[in-house]
Every structure is written in C-alpha cells, then in structure tokens.
Amino acid sequence: MTDDDTHDDDAPGRGASATASATASAIWGGRFSAGPSAIMEDINVSIDFDRRLYREDIAGSRAHCKMLAATGVIAAADRDAILAGLDQVEGEIAAGTFAFSRAAEDIHMNVESRLAEIVGEPAGRLHTARSRNDQVATDLRLWVRAALDDLDTGLQGLQRVLIDRAEEHAASVMPGFTHLQAAQPVTLGHHLMAYVEMVGRDRGRIADCRARLNESPLGAAALAGTSFPIDRHMTAAELGFDGPMANSLDAVSDRDFALEYLSLAAILAVHLSRLAEEIVIWSSDAFGFLRLSDSFSTGSSIMPQKRNPDAAELVRAKAGRVIGDLNGLLVALKGLPLAYGKDMQEDKEPVFDATDTLALCVAATAGMIADADFRTGAMKAAAGRGFTTATDLADWLVRVLGMPFRRAHHVTGALVGLADAAGVGLEDLTLDQMQGVEPAITADVFGVLGVDNSVASRTSFGGTAPDAVRAAIAAARRRYLD
C-alpha cells in the first residue's frame, strides 16, 4: 500500500494504461520528473494483495464524498457524479471485469484512476482533505472489523458442534491426563466442554478487539489533520465507527488493532492446535479413542491400510503460521517513529494470511468433531488403567476416617504399590488386603472405587460428574449460542 503523504491532494487519477512515469507524476505530484525503476515498482506496489480492501476503500470514499458535500467543500453535483462512479467501480470489481493496474500501485489509486475515466474532473476532488495515510488506516480497520465478525460466527459454530457432542457424551468415561499419563477419570463431555470455554474466551478477545478498533482515522489526512472544514464525526458515523480517533498522528501511524487481532488469532490457533493434537493422538492405533470420517482422513501412496489424520495435523501445523504472522508484524512495527512509514505496507499480508488460515482451521476442526466416531469402549477401558481412582481413595480416607491428607496420600500410595505388585486394580483388592495397610478402612471404600463411581463423585461446580457436565452444557448454550 503506497500511503505517501507527499502527493498533491487535489491531483486527479490516471487510467490503468498510464505509463510508470506518468503515473508517478499523477500520484506524487510535480516533485518527480521520472517514474520508478522496475525493481522499485516491484517492491513498492501493493495492488497484488491490497485489492482485497476494495469494498472498504470504496465505502470510505463514499463517506468522505458525502461529508465533503455536506460541509460545502465540494458541490452537490460533484458528489452525485462521484457516488455514481464509485458504484460503477465497485460493480466492475465485484464482477471481475475491473482491470487492476500495477502502475497505479495500490487499491486507492486503482479506484481513483478508474473513477476519473468514468466521471472526469469531479474524481480529482474526492481526495480533498484526506491522504492515503488515513485512507488505508480506515480501510484496514473496516476490513479487520468484518473479519472479526466472520471469525466470531465461525467460532460460535464450532462451539455448537462441541456442545452437541459433549451432550451426547456427558457420561462417557475416559481417562483424564496430566503429563499425558492417565491421571483421573473424566467424561468425554467434560473434556470437550473445556474447549468450549477456551473458544468462549477467544470470542471474548474478539469482542474486546472489535470495541477498541472501532474508531475512525478518516480525516486525519497525512498526519496533522486538515485546514478544510470537515466533519469527522459524520464520516465515522457513516462507516459504523463509534467516533473519530482523537489524535491525527496516532490515527495514521498505529496498527495496534492489527497486532491485537493477530494476537487473538495466535491464541485461537494454539487452542485449535491443542485439540488437533488430541485428535491425532486419539485416532492412533495405540489409543484408539476415535475414528475420523473419510471426509477428514487421507491414505498412503504405499501402505494401503493407512488412515492418516492429515486435517488435524495441518490444523496443528498452521498454528505456527499464524504465530509467524503476529511475529512478523511485531518486528515490522517495533522501531517506527511517528507518523507513517512505508514499513506499514507490510501490515496487510499477515492480517490476510492469518484470516484465511483461521477460517479454514475453524471449519476443519468443526467438521472433524462433528463427524468423529468416538470409541467410548476403548476410552472407558483406558480410564480404568493406571490406578486413576487413587485420588478418590485418598479423598475417602480424609473425608470418612478424618485422616490428614498427607497421611492419606501415603496410605494410598502403599495400596497402589500392593495392587501393582498383584497386577490388579485398586477396586480388585480385598478388604483384608486394604486393612493390612490401614486397619481403619471399611467396606464402604468400594463405593468410591471404579471409574463410574469416581466421575459420579466429582460434583463440584465445573467438575466432571455427568449431572455437573449437563448443567455446564445448558449454561454454555445460554451463554454462547442463544
């Protein structure tokens, strides 16, 4: 994006067929007598990617045009001609018939050049009291705002899938892990609801980011504002902003809204990657907890038996790409003095890339979870291995016998060692064997042993008891889906 503040604000645009030299004169005014070298043009041009801002650019131009007429800066006849011309330009771009010109550098000048071909002299009045610096800052804020709304919609859809599958499996027992070692029994519904809450916080960050970015830079001009009697509140309202940004330098020079967007995108990508990693592990032969549908699996070119969880692996890998988008923009902006620097042209590609990447990852994750065949028998069998009810036993010793927890921990450890040596589970020890370690143990202890008893006992708020999970699901539907 060529956001240069040295051009003549009233200079008319040129057609798409203009030479580099002529375009240089049209865009930059009379300061330059020759066009850029081919290398300079290649490094400078941004139309190859910033054309994605065309709707936002035209919306900003419409708002600016209406305001200029309302404040008497341009005539009503010029306003009407410009607005009609912008409608035609937008229609051509949407229809795919618009001839984008690399010689015109960016989306701003491509639109203005074509507008000049359509309406003539009035097009040259559109850029009065604005710069490409405030223009691009406005465009990108509008684009990110729409991207946030789209992302939030996608995440709500993912939450719906997770909640539906969690409700289906509110009582399906599986091992809960720490250090990827079986720790305590939980339910699959409880496990899936953990991701519902993570995504809920991601959506909260989206809302926060949207609220902070929703101020209009338009009218800040190059960096210092303008001497024309413009109405920045009018253009802000026209574009759906809460109001204009308070400082013209800040308006054109900061991209913290883009950084915040990429930050929340990176956190979301990490959440998706963690779920994808579990899908990869659970679908392995060693675990056998789920089977992905054919829609989200691939085969091998040499091993006919293979079912590879490639969709999950790619979601996992793409987190690194989104994190890289954030890092790239952080580095690009870290040393910039106020106000605008051409470095800021590098703000758009990471934003676009992260947006495209996340949209695909969210859709793929929702699809995988919706179609997954959870093997609940294998999950329950695994939940019973590794003495996962040991904590239940220790808690019983504290609750029923009044034993200090550290003493209960020691007794339970001794019982685990006894069961391990015998090759049985804790629930398979006899009462005599248990009383050989701790004489005060009674037969009531067997009521807390076994994975079903274990999960049923975890009734605290946020716990894994099936009734608690169902209550959490009902609350999540109200919070996130209604």
Side-chain angles (χ1 to χ4, degrees):
M1 185 79 59
T2 307
D3 309 331
D4 181 28
D5 54 84
T6 60
H7 60 281
D8 178 357
D9 278 345
D10 291 319
R14 300 281 293 186
S17 60
T19 64
S21 178
T23 303
S25 178
I27 297 174
W28 301 334
R31 174 64 178 83
F32 294 86
S33 59
S37 71
I39 294 173
M40 179 60 197
E41 181 174 307
D42 283 343
I43 198 172
N44 193 53
V45 70
S46 60
I47 191 58
D48 297 337
F49 55 85
D50 71 22
R51 65 180 64 186
R52 294 181 64 161
L53 298 174
Y54 81 88
R55 290 187 182 89
E56 292 74 19
D57 194 71
I58 291 173
S61 289
R62 286 195 185 104
H64 187 68
C65 176
K66 292 175 184 178
M67 181 275 297
L68 291 177
T71 56
V73 176
I74 65 172
D78 287 337
R79 175 200 63 201
D80 295 343
I82 290 168
L83 292 177
L86 289 172
D87 287 345
Q88 181 174 334
V89 172
E90 185 172 36
E92 290 175 358
I93 298 176
T97 60
F98 188 92
F100 288 101
S101 168
R102 297 185 92 242
E105 297 183 6
D106 57 33
I107 188 60
H108 317 307
M109 294 313 302
N110 268 266
V111 169
E112 188 173 324
S113 295
R114 179 60 181 143
L115 183 65
E117 293 177 343
I118 296 169
V119 306
E121 183 179 348
R125 304 187 190 282
L126 175 60
H127 208 52
T128 305
R130 77 175 182 185
S131 163
R132 283 184 291 176
N133 294 357
D134 62 335
Q135 194 176 357
V136 68
T138 303
D139 289 0
L140 191 58
R141 281 178 183 264
L142 290 172
W143 197 95
V144 170
R145 189 176 71 186
L148 287 166
D149 292 343
D150 289 343
L151 181 58
D152 186 69
T153 299
L155 290 181
Q156 186 181 52
L158 174 58
Q159 284 182 306
R160 189 180 305 279
V161 169
L162 288 165
I163 289 171
D164 287 347
R165 297 309 308 267
E167 189 164 43
E168 180 184 347
H169 292 287
S172 299
V173 177
M174 66 171 290
F177 297 94
T178 61
H179 308 279
L180 204 56
Q181 305 294 315
Q184 291 179 288
V186 297
T187 69
L188 175 56
H190 190 58
H191 194 109
L192 294 176
M193 288 301 295
Y195 286 101
V196 171
E197 296 302 322
M198 292 181 206
V199 173
R201 291 191 295 277
D202 291 322
R203 292 183 64 194
R205 279 182 280 271
I206 287 173
D208 292 343
C209 180
R210 195 189 193 285
R212 269 186 288 276
L213 73 75
N214 205 37
E215 294 180 330
S216 175
L218 195 57
L223 75 163
T226 179
S227 58
F228 289 96
I230 63 172
D231 185 346
R232 293 188 62 209
H233 289 84
M234 177 182 174
T235 52
E238 178 77 15
L239 294 170
F241 289 114
D242 295 330
M245 296 185 72
N247 183 281
S248 61
L249 285 166
D250 176 50
V252 300
S253 68
D254 203 359
R255 295 295 187 270
D256 58 352
F257 69 94
L259 290 174
E260 186 171 3
Y261 174 54
L262 292 178
S263 296
L264 71 87
I267 295 171
L268 168 59
V270 168
H271 284 158
L272 297 177
S273 179
R274 295 185 72 182
L275 179 52
E277 168 71 358
E278 294 196 313
I279 291 172
V280 171
I281 293 172
W282 291 0
S283 63
S284 68
D285 291 336
F287 272 70
F289 285 4
L290 70 79
R291 179 183 175 92
L292 287 176
S293 70
D294 290 350
S295 299
F296 293 98
S297 302
T298 63
S300 166
S301 63
I302 189 172
M303 294 171 285
Q305 83 281 9
K306 293 297 292 297
R307 288 177 59 84
N308 298 323
D310 283 5
E313 291 172 353
L314 288 167
V315 169
R316 184 176 61 185
K318 288 180 184 295
R321 181 168 176 164
V322 177
I323 293 167
D325 290 329
L326 169 61
N327 287 340
L329 186 55
L330 283 168
V331 173
L333 296 176
K334 69 173 182 61
L336 296 187
L338 299 182
Y340 181 81
K342 194 58 179 284
D343 316 55
M344 290 184 185
Q345 182 165 293
E346 296 299 308
D347 61 357
K348 294 155 202 69
E349 288 183 286
V351 166
F352 295 158
D353 181 73
T355 301
D356 294 343
T357 300
L358 278 181
L360 185 57
C361 289
V362 170
T365 302
M368 285 187 287
I369 295 297
D371 289 354
D373 176 14
F374 291 106
R375 304 297 175 87
T376 55
M379 288 183 169
K380 186 170 184 178
R385 294 192 291 268
F387 307 104
T388 57
T389 59
T391 305
D392 298 277
L393 174 55
D395 288 347
W396 183 89
L397 294 171
V398 171
R399 186 173 60 252
V400 175
L401 302 185
M403 191 178 292
F405 183 79
R406 287 302 170 198
R407 168 67 181 156
H409 187 284
H410 179 79
V411 170
T412 301
L415 290 170
V416 167
L418 182 63
D420 189 33
V424 298
L426 282 171
E427 66 275 17
D428 298 317
L429 291 174
T430 68
L431 181 59
D432 286 342
Q433 286 174 309
M434 290 189 180
Q435 289 178 338
V437 174
E438 173 51 58
I441 293 177
T442 70
D444 290 345
V445 73
F446 293 103
V448 300
L449 298 179
V451 293
D452 289 312
N453 291 334
S454 175
V455 297
S457 71
R458 304 293 174 178
T459 56
S460 59
F461 181 81
T464 193
D467 286 346
V469 173
R470 293 186 184 100
I473 288 169
R477 287 194 186 278
R478 292 191 298 269
R479 234 181 333 148
Y480 298 128
L481 303 185
D482 290 347

